[in-house]
Amino acid sequence: MIPLFHPETKYWKECSAAVETVLKSRWWGQAHKVDEFEKKFSNNFNYQYSLSLNSGSAALELAYRLIDIQKNDEVIVPVLTCTATNLPLLRMGAKVVFADVSKETLLISTEDVKRKINKKTKAIVVVTLGGLPIDPELFQIARENNIPVVVDAAQSLGVSEQYGDYLTYSFQAIKHFSTGDGGMLVVRNKEDYSRAKKLRWFGIDREAKIGANWQAWKDREMTIDIEEPGYKFHMNDITASLGLVGLKYSDEILNTRRKLTKIYDEKLKCDQKVSGGACWLYGVIIENRDQIASQLMAKGVDVNMVHLRNDIYKVFGGKRQDLMNMNDIEEKYLYLPLNSSLTENQVEEVITIFNHIVTK
C-alpha cells in the first residue's frame, strides 16, 4: 500500500539519541526540556505565550475552560472535523451548534456562522482542516460580536496562525512532526497564560512549589494552595525532547509536503481539488466516490474520508442536520496519500492510477 499517512521517521536516530539523553537524566517528567521546547516553539512560529500539553485534545479542553464555557452555552462549531474538536464541549454541557461547510474548502462556512450567531453564542470554534487557512472575514465577524474564536490548528503546524484568540496544535503520531502524542496551546495574553499553566498541572502554581523547594508543607503551614480544579495535562521531558528534534526540521517537512502537493495539483485529473496551507491532507471532490475509492484501494493506494460529519454520531444527536453544502458533498470528498515519507515517484504512481480510474 502507498500509505495515506505515515509517521515522520527520517530523523529517528536523532530522536532516539534525544530520548536517551532524557532517560539517562533524573528528569523524566515536566522539566527543563519542556521549558526549552515551549520557548523554541514560540520563537519558530512567532508566538508569545505557548503552553505544551499531553495532547491536542487537552489543548482544546483547556481553551474551552479558559473561555469559561458553561452548561447550555451555545458554541458554533464545524460539522466536519475530528470528534476531538467537539467532544469536550459535551462534557461541559454546552449546546453544540453545527455550522455548514464551504463547498470549495470543506472548512466552516463563514456565511452559515453569520446566520447562527446570537446573544447566546459563547464561542466560535474553527478547524484548519487539511491545513487550509480560515477565512479572515470570520474573525472580523467574531470581533464585531465580541465572541472569542478557538482555532483547532491540529492539522496546520508550520504555518503561523495570525488570527484567533486561542490556538491548539497536535503532535499526534501522524502530524507534521510528532512527539508520539502531545499538543500546544497558544494564548494571546499573560492572564490566560498564567491561569492555563496552573490548570494543566492540577491547578497548582508550579513555580511557587519550586520556590518552596517542592515542599507543600512548612512549619505547619501550606506553601501552596489550589484555587480551581485543574487537570493532568502537562507534557513531559521525553515528549518534549522529540518535539525539539521535530522543530529543527519543521520547515523541511512542510516544504516536502508542498512539493508533493504541487505535483498532485499539476497532474491529477480532477475538477475540484482541496489542498493548500500546511498541506496536511490532499482532497478531491468526485462523483462515484465510493466506487473510485474501492478501486484505488484494490490498486494499492490507501485513501480515506478521514473525518465524518459529527452530527451523525449518537453522542451529538445522531441525526443529519439541514446543512445544504455538507449534505451535498458528503458522498463526494476523499483524501489521497500525502505524507513526507512519500517519494515523488509514489505520488506519480497514485496520479497514474487515479487518472486511469476516473477517465476509463
Side-chain angles (χ1 to χ4, degrees), residues 35-52:
D35 294 341
E36 183 183 354
F37 180 44
E38 290 174 346
K39 289 176 183 176
K40 288 191 175 179
F41 183 92
S42 291
N43 289 337
N44 269 33
F45 302 115
N46 196 31
Y47 296 136
Q48 187 171 2
Y49 300 110
S50 302
L51 197 73
S52 62

Side-chain angles (χ1 to χ4, degrees), residues 62-70 73 122-124 148-150 165-166 192 195:
L62 199 48
Y64 300 155
R65 177 75 176 272
L66 292 173
I67 295 171
D68 195 30
I69 293 172
Q70 300 286 332
D73 284 340
K122 188 67 173 280
I124 298 170
V149 179
V150 177
D165 301 286
Y166 303 88
D192 275 337
R195 184 181 174 206

Side-chain angles (χ1 to χ4, degrees), residues 198-216:
K198 294 178 185 178
L199 287 174
R200 74 169 170 183
W201 204 60
F202 307 112
I204 296 172
D205 185 335
R206 189 178 176 91
E207 279 71 24
K209 191 166 185 178
I210 293 172
N213 197 28
W214 296 100
Q215 300 300 317

Side-chain angles (χ1 to χ4, degrees), residues 74-303:
E74 291 191 8
V75 181
I76 300 174
V77 304
V79 70
L80 185 61
T81 180
C82 175
T83 55
T85 305
N86 297 324
L87 286 173
L89 296 169
L90 295 185
R91 291 193 290 272
M92 293 174 171
K95 180 181 178 182
V96 172
V97 178
F98 287 115
D100 205 353
V101 300
S102 160
K103 292 182 74 171
E104 288 71 37
T105 64
L106 302 187
L107 302 178
I108 196 169
S109 163
T110 300
E111 293 304 312
D112 201 34
V113 170
K114 286 182 188 178
R115 287 190 286 268
K116 289 175 175 172
I117 288 177
N118 61 50
K119 293 181 179 179
K120 296 181 181 179
T121 304
K122 188 67 173 280
I124 298 170
V125 182
V126 297
V127 177
T128 57
L129 187 67
L132 275 71
I134 303 298
D135 178 6
E137 184 187 357
L138 188 148
F139 297 100
Q140 179 61 35
I141 294 165
R143 281 193 296 271
E144 291 170 357
N145 288 274
N146 198 30
I147 299 171
V149 179
V150 177
V151 181
D152 180 344
Q155 300 179 5
S156 60
L157 185 65
V159 178
S160 296
E161 300 295 335
Q162 181 179 356
Y163 306 105
D165 301 286
Y166 303 88
L167 312 177
T168 67
Y169 291 98
S170 170
F171 311 138
Q172 179 255 356
I174 54 175
K175 294 303 191 295
H176 286 60
F177 78 78
S178 172
T179 59
D181 215 335
M184 191 74 74
L185 171 64
V186 175
V187 298
R188 303 300 196 181
N189 61 71
K190 190 174 182 178
E191 182 182 357
D192 275 337
Y193 179 66
S194 298
R195 184 181 174 206
K197 285 183 77 173
K198 294 178 185 178
L199 287 174
R200 74 169 170 183
W201 204 60
F202 307 112
I204 296 172
D205 185 335
R206 189 178 176 91
E207 279 71 24
K209 191 166 185 178
I210 293 172
N213 197 28
W214 296 100
Q215 300 300 317
W217 187 263
K218 183 179 180 182
D219 298 332
R220 298 189 178 185
E221 295 290 340
M222 294 167 57
T223 62
I224 58 168
D225 203 350
I226 298 174
E227 297 175 356
E228 61 177 324
Y231 312 90
K232 196 176 191 303
F233 279 173
H234 61 88
M235 183 176 280
N236 62 60
D237 267 27
I238 297 171
T239 301
S241 69
L242 293 172
L244 286 165
V245 174
L247 283 177
K248 292 166 60 176
Y249 302 102
S250 61
D251 287 345
E252 180 180 326
I253 292 168
L254 182 60
N255 289 335
T256 296
R257 301 182 81 98
R258 285 177 168 166
K259 184 184 297 184
L260 299 178
T261 294
K262 186 177 179 181
I263 297 173
Y264 273 128
D265 285 343
E266 292 175 349
K267 299 184 178 182
L268 200 72
K269 294 181 179 178
C270 180
D271 291 335
Q272 187 174 352
K273 305 160 188 174
V274 184
S275 66
C279 299
W280 193 68
L281 293 172
Y282 194 91
V284 293
I285 309 297
I286 50 175
E287 301 292 339
N288 303 315
R289 189 268 316 278
D290 292 347
Q291 295 92 322
I292 291 171
S294 295
Q295 292 179 64
L296 286 166
M297 294 287 283
K299 293 289 186 179
V301 178
D302 188 15
V303 295

Side-chain angles (χ1 to χ4, degrees), residues 22 29 48 110 144 264 306 332 334 340:
V22 174
Q48 187 171 2
T110 300
E144 291 170 357
Y264 273 128
V306 183
K332 300 176 183 178
L334 186 70
S340 55

